[in-house]
Amino acid sequence: MTPASPRALAAALRGAGIAEVDDSTRRRGEYSTDASNYRVVPCAVVFPRNADEVHAALDVAARLGVPLTARGGGTSIAGNSVGAGVVLDFSRHFNRVLDVDPERRTARAEPGAVLDDITAAAVGFGLRFGPDPSTHARATLGGSIGNNACGPRALRYGRTADNVLELDVLTADGARFTAARGGRHAGAGNVGSGVPLFDGLHALVTAHLATIRTEFGRFTRQISGYSMDHLLPEHGFDVAKFLVGSEGTLGIVLGATVRLVTEPAAVALALLGYPDMPAAAEAVTALLPHRPVALEGMDARLVDVVRTRRGPAGVPDLPRGGGWLFVETAGATEREATAAAEKLVADAGCLDSAIVTGPVARAVWGIREDGAGLGGRTPAGAPAWPGWEDAAVPPQHLAGYLREFTALLSEHRLDGLVYGHFGDGCVHVRIDFPLAEPGRFRGFLVDAAQLVGRHGGSMSGEHGDGRARGELLPYMYSAEALTVFGQVKRLFDPGNVLNPGVIVDPAPVDADLRVAAARPLRKHLGFHYPHDRGDLATAAHRCVGVGKCRADNTSTGGVMCPSYLATRDEKDSTRGRARVLQELANGSLIKGYRAPELMDVLDLCLSCKGCSSDCPAGVDMATYKAEVIYQRYRHRLRPPAHYALGWLPRWARVAGRLPRLANAALGNPILGGVAKRAGGIDRRRPLPQFATPTFREWFADYPARTGIPVLLWVDTFTNHFAPEVGQAAVRLLDAAGYSVQILDKPVCCGLTWISTGQLGGARAQLRRSVAALEPVVRRGTPIVGLEPSCTAALRHDLVELLPADPRAARVAATTRTLAELLTGTPGWTPPPLAGVRAVAQPHCHHHSVMGWQPDADLLAAAGAEVTAVGGCCGLAGNFGSNGGTTRCRRRWPTPRCCPQYAPRRPTRSCWPTDSPAGRNWSSSVGCTACTSPSSSTGRWPRSGATRRRWRRSEAKNERVCAAAVPVRAAGGDHRARRAARRRGSRPVDRDAV
C-alpha cells in the first residue's frame, strides 16, 4: 500500500465530494481501536451519507493505494474494524430502516441501521430481526453482516447469514450488484451470464468441491474464514449468504434485505444450577431436543462480580451451583411457556432450578448481555482482555473442551470468567493476558487454537477472525482451504484495498497491541485509583469498547451517556473519551495533559457518573475528567467558572450573611450579567436566590427531640438554597423516632472543587469534614445526606482522595441516604401514600453511586405507585451553568415521563395528584438540574410574558406526567403557592422532584 499523509488523503476525499471527512488527531485516536486488543491509527475517518459518497471514498482509496475499512458500531472484538487508511463509519448518517414488508416478512435497511431499530420498525407487525448479539442496542446491520453476528437466540432464529436474503454490494473495482441466491439478483443476471467475477467464483467452487463439502459447514458456529459452503450447488450458490462473515474484505455492503421472524407471544426462563461449567455443558445435548429459544451458560464467578459492583440487589435469586444454564422457552401464553420450561427442567439433571418470567427474567438477561464488560476483571481484580473470546466447538464436544480449556488456563497461569451460547457450543471468556509480554500471549493462543482444532471447532463462533484469529486459521483448515481463501480475495479485491490483514495474508496476532504500547500514568495523581493499581492509564483501559454508552439505556433506568444521545458523535461517548485518554497513555498522538484534544472530548462530559454504574466495565469518566482538569491547571490560572462555581460554598457563606442584598444584586440585570460573565455562567441561566432564613438558622430554633441520634449532613445547597427540603427531612426523621443533630460549624464535601478539578482544594475540604465527623462516627451515629451529589462525594470520592486516612473509610461506611436509613429502621412504617401515582427521575449520582432501590422500596412500602425514569437532566456538576453547553442541553432526549414535550428548560417540575400524605413526605428523588442552585431560582420570573410561557409549559407537564413524588415543607415560596392555587393544585418543591 502507498503511504498517504492524513492531510493529503482528507483533501482528496473532500475533493471527491464527500461532505464529512475528519483527519484530526482526536478523531483518529477515537477510531484507532474497536472492542479488540488492537490499535491501528487511521489516516482519515469518513461519515458517508449515501452510496455515492461510499463509492467516492472507495475510488480515492483505490487510486491512492490506501486501505479502506468499513465500520458499524465499533464493537468488533477481533480487530475487524480498524485500519491504517480510510475508516468508513456508517452508523452516523447511513443508518435508515427503509421499509418493512409484513407479508413477505422482510425488511430493507442501510448498513448503519442499528439492529434494535430494525426490530422496532417490525415489532408493530409482531415481527423482529432474529439475531440478537449482546450489543444489539448499538450494533449495526452492516457490522453484523461483516462478522456473521449471532447472539443467544440464534439457536432458534439462526445466524445473520441465515437471515440475509439480498445484499447491495460495492466491490473494490467499483462494480455494484445485488447479491442473492443463484449469484446476482435475477434482474441483473445470474451465474454463467459472462460476468467475470461470478464466472470465476463458480469455477473456483467447482474445482474444490470435495474440500468445501468436507471442511465447511460442519456445525452452526463455524464462522472462521469464508463461508464457502453457501456456494455449493446444493445450497443454491447463495452469494449473499457467502458474503456474510467476510469482514469487509471482499466488498462494501450498501444495503441489505433481511428475513424477519415472529416474536414469541410469551417466554419463560429456566435457571439451572450445576457444580461447575463443564457439568453444565454435559447437560446441553439432553436439552436441545426441547427446541429452546436460547440456551446460555454462565460462570457463578461472573455473577459474583455483579454483586460486588452493584450490590446484592443487582442480582436476582439464582439456584445454587457453581455454574448455570439459562434456557428460554416460548409459548402462546406465559403458562404454556412455563410448562415448556418445566418439561425441560425434568431432563436437565441439575442441582437446583427455578423458572422466572417478567422483570426477573429481564434482570438475568441484563447480566448476561453485560458479560463482555463484567468479565473485564478477574475475581482477583486483574484486567482481563479479549483475544480468545468466542471459540466454538460442536455442542456434543463442549464439556470435554471446557475441561481441557480450564487445564490450559492453569498451565499458562491465566484466569478468565466463562459464559456463552452453550446451545451452539460457543464459549466467551475474557482472560488476564499479560499483554505487555506478547510472547506469553502468542503462546497461549497457539495452544488454544490447537485444542479447538482437536475438538473439530472454529476459532471464531460469531465475531469473525479479524486480527485476533486470522493467523490461527491453519489450525482448523487445510492448506487447500487456505489457498481457496486467497483466490477468493484476489477475485473480489485484487489490489488488497478492502480491510487488508484480515483472513487472507493476516497480520500477526501479537502485532499492534494497544495495551502493550501504553505508558503508566501514575505521577502526581489526585485520585488514588485503588482498583486500577494507582494508574490512570489502567483506569482508562477499563474501556474495552463494548459501546453500551452509544445505546439509549434510559428505558431501563440507565443514565449513560447523555451527551452522546444529544450529539450522536463518538467523541461525546464514554468510549470515545476513554480512547483519547488511552492515546494520552500511548503518547504518540496525544501529548500531555494540556493537549487540546483532551478538553475537546471532555467538554460535554456532564460528570454524571452514569458510566460508573451503567458501563459493565466500570469506567468512571467523571473521575477521569476531574483528574485531567486537575493535571491541566496545576499551578496555573484557571477559567473563571472554576472560581465562581468551584468555590460556591465559600461565596454562599459570604452571601448568606446579607442574603437580601445578595439577591438584589444578583437579580439586577446589570450586576447579574456582570456576575455571569465573570463566572463563565451561561447568560440564559437564572442565578440562584439565597434563602432567608438558611436551614442552619431555622434548625437553631427547632426544639430538640429525644430518640435515636442521627447526624444530618447539611450541604451548601440545602442550607442556602433549599432549606425546605432539610426542614421536611428533619420532621420526617422526628416522626420516625430519631433525634436529629447537625455539626456545630459548616463543613463541605468538596463536591464543587472536585467537579472543577481542584482536587487539592477538595482534599483540604474533606480533611476538615473528616475531622469534624470523626467523633460522630466513633459514637456509632449514622450520617444522613440529602443532596445526592454531596452524599455520593462522601461515599465514593472521599476514600479516593484521602486513601491513607482511615477515618475517611469509616465516614464513607457510616454515610446513608434518607431512604437507606428509613428502610433499616426497626418498627417504623412510612406514612400512607395509597392512591398516589408518581413519576420519579433518580438523581444521576444517586443512581450511580448509592443506588435508588431503597427509595423505590420505601415508596412501594408506603403504597405509592411510582414509575422511575432513566436519563440525566443535563446539569450534573457545573455543566448546566457553563456557557456554551446550552445547545447540547436542548438536544437532550425527552424524559420518558413526558414523551410528547421535549422541554426547552431542563428543569423538572411536575404537579402532583391530590394526596393527603403529600404534606409530610420527603424523598431524595431529584436531579442536579433542581438541587443545584445554578439551575433554577425556585421562584417565578418577574416578566409577565415569561411567567405565562412557564405556566403553559407546566400545565402541559401536569397533564402528561400525572405526578411527581410530593415534597413540601413549612414555609416555602409564596409565589409558587399562589400560582398553584390558581391552578387548583398544590405545587411540588422543585428542589426534590
Side-chain angles (χ1 to χ4, degrees):
M1 288 290 172
T2 304
S5 72
R7 180 176 296 180
L9 178 59
L13 291 165
R14 294 186 186 104
I18 301 172
E20 194 168 351
V21 180
D22 197 335
D23 65 326
S24 67
T25 301
R26 190 211 73 235
R27 185 69 81 189
R28 293 165 60 216
E30 292 162 11
Y31 283 77
S32 64
T33 187
D34 43 20
S36 71
N37 295 327
Y38 300 98
R39 174 184 179 269
V40 181
V41 181
C43 285
V45 180
V46 170
F47 302 94
R49 286 173 161 77
N50 51 52
D52 290 340
E53 290 196 346
V54 176
H55 198 299
L58 177 59
D59 181 64
V60 170
R63 178 163 43 86
L64 298 181
V66 172
L68 186 143
T69 301
R71 178 178 172 121
T75 56
S76 302
I77 63 169
N80 327 56
S81 59
V82 294
V86 177
V87 171
L88 298 175
D89 182 350
F90 288 102
S91 67
R92 187 152 188 202
H93 303 301
F94 205 14
N95 55 16
R96 295 175 301 163
V97 179
L98 299 174
D99 67 60
V100 172
D101 186 336
E103 293 184 1
R104 294 181 59 222
R105 296 190 176 185
T106 62
R108 286 192 312 117
E110 294 172 337
V114 173
L115 300 186
D116 274 4
D117 291 345
I118 299 173
T119 293
V123 73
F125 306 106
L127 302 171
R128 55 164 289 171
F129 184 59
D132 62 335
S134 61
T135 55
H136 56 84
R138 58 269 190 199
T140 65
L141 179 60
S144 300
I145 290 169
N147 297 349
N148 199 0
C150 301
R153 293 175 180 86
L155 184 64
R156 170 70 69 89
Y157 304 130
R159 308 157 299 177
T160 299
D162 301 315
N163 291 275
V164 164
L165 301 176
E166 295 178 352
L167 294 179
D168 184 359
V169 178
L170 183 68
T171 60
D173 63 359
R176 183 176 178 181
F177 64 91
T178 300
R181 185 178 177 86
R184 303 197 331 170
H185 190 278
N190 285 317
V191 176
S193 63
V195 178
L197 175 63
F198 291 97
D199 287 347
L201 191 60
H202 189 269
L204 182 61
V205 171
T206 302
H208 297 279
L209 282 174
T211 298
I212 295 172
R213 284 181 172 135
T214 55
E215 295 194 37
F216 294 86
R218 292 176 289 108
F219 70 110
T220 58
R221 288 304 183 97
Q222 185 180 346
I223 302 299
S224 283
Y226 295 137
S227 298
M228 302 299 298
D229 50 300
H230 292 298
L231 298 177
L232 289 170
E234 57 266 34
H235 295 158
F237 198 77
D238 197 325
V239 176
K241 295 186 187 305
F242 157 73
L243 287 173
V244 175
S246 58
E247 304 180 37
T249 63
L250 303 181
I252 301 174
V253 175
L254 301 176
T257 301
V258 297
R259 179 174 69 98
L260 300 174
V261 299
T262 303
E263 181 78 25
V267 293
L269 189 64
L271 312 178
L272 312 175
Y274 296 89
D276 53 32
M277 295 305 289
E282 289 278 11
V284 167
T285 53
L287 301 176
L288 288 176
H290 291 269
R291 297 196 71 249
V293 176
L295 201 169
E296 301 290 289
M298 181 170 288
D299 192 325
R301 298 184 302 161
L302 191 64
V303 177
D304 291 339
V305 172
V306 182
R307 288 195 182 98
T308 301
R309 286 264 312 275
R310 301 175 182 171
V315 179
D317 291 335
L318 296 171
R320 58 191 172 89
W324 294 285
L325 294 180
F326 301 154
V327 192
E328 185 172 272
T329 56
T333 64
E334 187 173 296
R335 178 178 294 182
E336 187 176 311
T338 301
E342 290 170 349
K343 290 179 182 178
L344 184 144
V345 170
D347 291 339
C350 54
L351 292 175
D352 195 9
S353 66
I355 297 174
V356 297
T357 58
V360 178
R362 287 193 291 273
V364 173
W365 276 120
I367 295 172
R368 168 60 191 85
E369 289 186 352
D370 285 344
L374 295 170
R377 293 292 165 114
T378 67
W385 309 102
W388 193 250
E389 173 68 25
D390 64 314
V393 298
Q396 62 269 26
H397 299 165
L398 181 59
Y401 167 73
L402 282 178
R403 291 190 178 94
E404 292 187 57
F405 181 71
T406 302
L408 184 65
L409 285 172
S410 299
E411 179 185 332
H412 284 263
R413 304 188 309 280
L414 298 173
D415 194 11
L417 299 174
V418 172
Y419 62 102
H421 314 298
F422 277 27
D424 282 316
C426 183
V427 178
H428 291 296
V429 61
R430 295 284 165 114
I431 300 173
D432 56 345
F433 292 120
L435 293 179
E437 305 175 45
R440 285 188 63 193
F441 178 59
R442 168 180 283 276
F444 175 83
L445 292 184
V446 170
D447 288 349
Q450 292 173 340
L451 174 62
V452 166
R454 289 197 300 272
H455 284 274
S458 176
M459 303 300 139
S460 169
E462 66 175 338
H463 290 301
D465 298 315
R467 293 169 173 266
R469 289 178 282 267
E471 192 184 0
L472 305 175
L473 293 181
Y475 295 103
M476 66 173 287
Y477 286 118
S478 67
E480 183 180 349
L482 297 175
T483 298
V484 171
F485 291 165
Q487 292 173 331
V488 169
K489 174 70 170 174
R490 284 189 289 276
L491 273 173
F492 279 84
D493 182 21
N496 199 25
V497 171
L498 299 176
N499 212 9
V502 173
I503 302 181
V504 175
D505 298 325
V509 294
D510 53 356
D512 303 316
L513 293 175
R514 172 169 35 89
V515 174
R519 307 164 303 163
L521 297 173
R522 295 194 179 99
K523 291 184 178 179
H524 312 299
L525 293 180
F527 288 99
H528 182 49
Y529 306 101
H531 304 296
D532 297 295
R533 303 171 182 172
D535 183 5
L536 177 59
T538 300
H541 278 93
R542 277 180 173 268
C543 178
V544 290
V546 294
K548 191 174 181 181
C549 50
R550 285 171 54 100
D552 186 349
N553 306 293
T554 56
S555 63
T556 55
V559 170
M560 176 184 73
C561 180
S563 53
Y564 176 79
L565 294 181
T567 68
R568 300 291 174 175
D569 191 327
E570 179 75 13
K571 82 176 180 65
D572 298 318
S573 69
T574 303
R575 184 178 71 179
R577 296 177 179 119
R579 292 308 187 219
V580 175
L581 287 174
Q582 290 166 10
E583 289 300 322
L584 170 68
N586 180 279
S588 60
L589 283 181
I590 310 297
K591 303 180 186 299
Y593 288 104
R594 295 179 184 175
E597 294 86 356
L598 286 174
M599 296 315 296
D600 236 10
V601 294
L602 294 172
D603 181 46
L604 294 184
C605 173
L606 284 81
S607 299
C608 68
K609 285 188 175 290
C611 50
S612 67
S613 63
D614 294 355
C615 172
V619 173
D620 185 357
M621 194 53 62
T623 295
Y624 310 161
K625 177 179 181 179
E627 183 72 67
V628 168
I629 296 174
Y630 171 62
Q631 300 295 340
R632 179 183 179 87
Y633 291 108
R634 285 185 71 198
H635 314 304
R636 297 181 71 205
L637 191 66
R638 289 173 167 269
H642 289 195
Y643 302 109
L645 298 174
W647 293 5
L648 181 64
R650 290 176 176 169
W651 307 133
R653 283 196 291 273
V654 172
R657 295 169 184 168
L658 295 169
R660 290 183 174 83
L661 180 60
N663 289 339
L666 295 177
N668 181 278
I670 297 175
L671 296 178
V674 171
K676 290 177 186 179
R677 284 192 295 274
I681 298 171
D682 192 304
R683 60 183 176 79
R684 289 157 291 195
R685 176 65 57 199
L687 292 172
Q689 298 283 291
F690 292 92
T692 53
T694 66
F695 173 78
R696 283 184 165 275
E697 291 168 344
W698 174 88
F699 189 80
D701 297 328
Y702 190 77
R705 307 294 176 97
T706 58
I708 306 168
V710 61
L711 184 116
L712 185 66
W713 175 263
V714 183
D715 59 86
T716 298
F717 306 122
T718 300
N719 187 41
H720 289 284
F721 303 106
E724 59 271 24
V725 174
Q727 295 164 14
V730 169
R731 292 193 176 96
L732 180 57
L733 288 168
D734 278 350
Y738 287 95
S739 174
V740 181
Q741 307 166 5
I742 66 173
L743 293 175
D744 294 335
K745 294 183 178 179
V747 289
C748 183
C749 66
L751 168 67
T752 55
W753 278 268
I754 294 169
S755 64
T756 53
Q758 302 180 75
L759 302 185
R763 277 194 292 270
Q765 296 292 330
L766 287 169
R767 287 192 188 100
R768 287 193 285 271
S769 297
V770 164
L773 291 170
E774 176 65 7
V776 177
V777 173
R778 287 191 179 279
R779 291 195 299 268
T781 302
I783 303 166
V784 173
L786 297 179
E787 210 290 321
S789 293
C790 296
T791 309
L794 294 177
R795 285 270 283 265
H796 178 264
D797 298 322
L798 172 60
V799 293
E800 288 268 343
L801 288 167
L802 301 178
D805 192 335
R807 300 174 301 174
R810 291 196 289 269
V811 169
T814 308
T815 302
R816 304 278 187 275
T817 66
L818 183 61
E820 287 172 339
L821 179 75
L822 292 175
T823 52
T825 302
W828 179 79
T829 56
L833 291 174
V836 172
R837 296 176 63 246
V839 172
Q841 183 178 30
H843 188 295
C844 49
H845 290 180
H846 196 153
H847 162 86
S848 304
V849 178
M850 288 84 70
W852 197 71
Q853 191 58 45
D855 299 72
D857 293 342
L858 193 58
L859 291 165
E865 183 184 333
V866 178
T867 301
V869 296
C872 182
C873 62
L875 290 169
N878 62 322
F879 179 91
S881 55
N882 285 346
T885 62
T886 300
R887 179 174 297 180
C888 178
R889 292 197 309 270
R890 288 184 173 181
R891 293 167 65 181
W892 240 249
T894 306
R896 295 280 172 170
C897 59
C898 307
Q900 293 94 328
Y901 306 104
R904 300 303 294 177
R905 294 178 303 117
T907 50
R908 302 286 190 266
S909 182
C910 303
W911 302 92
T913 53
D914 293 331
S915 168
R919 196 175 302 280
N920 56 14
W921 178 249
S922 176
S923 168
S924 56
V925 178
C927 62
T928 313
C930 309
T931 53
S932 168
S934 64
S935 65
S936 175
T937 63
R939 285 152 169 75
W940 292 97
R942 292 192 179 104
S943 161
T946 304
R947 186 160 59 241
R948 285 190 294 274
R949 284 197 300 271
W950 279 29
R951 284 173 180 163
R952 286 194 295 270
S953 173
E954 297 298 342
K956 286 183 178 179
N957 282 334
E958 181 181 4
R959 290 194 297 271
V960 176
C961 292
V965 178
V967 178
R968 193 65 194 169
D973 185 351
H974 66 280
R975 293 184 182 89
R977 288 201 302 277
R978 281 204 304 268
R981 282 196 294 271
R982 285 194 291 269
R983 291 176 176 79
S985 62
R986 184 175 50 79
V988 176
D989 189 284
R990 288 188 188 81
D991 291 309
V993 174

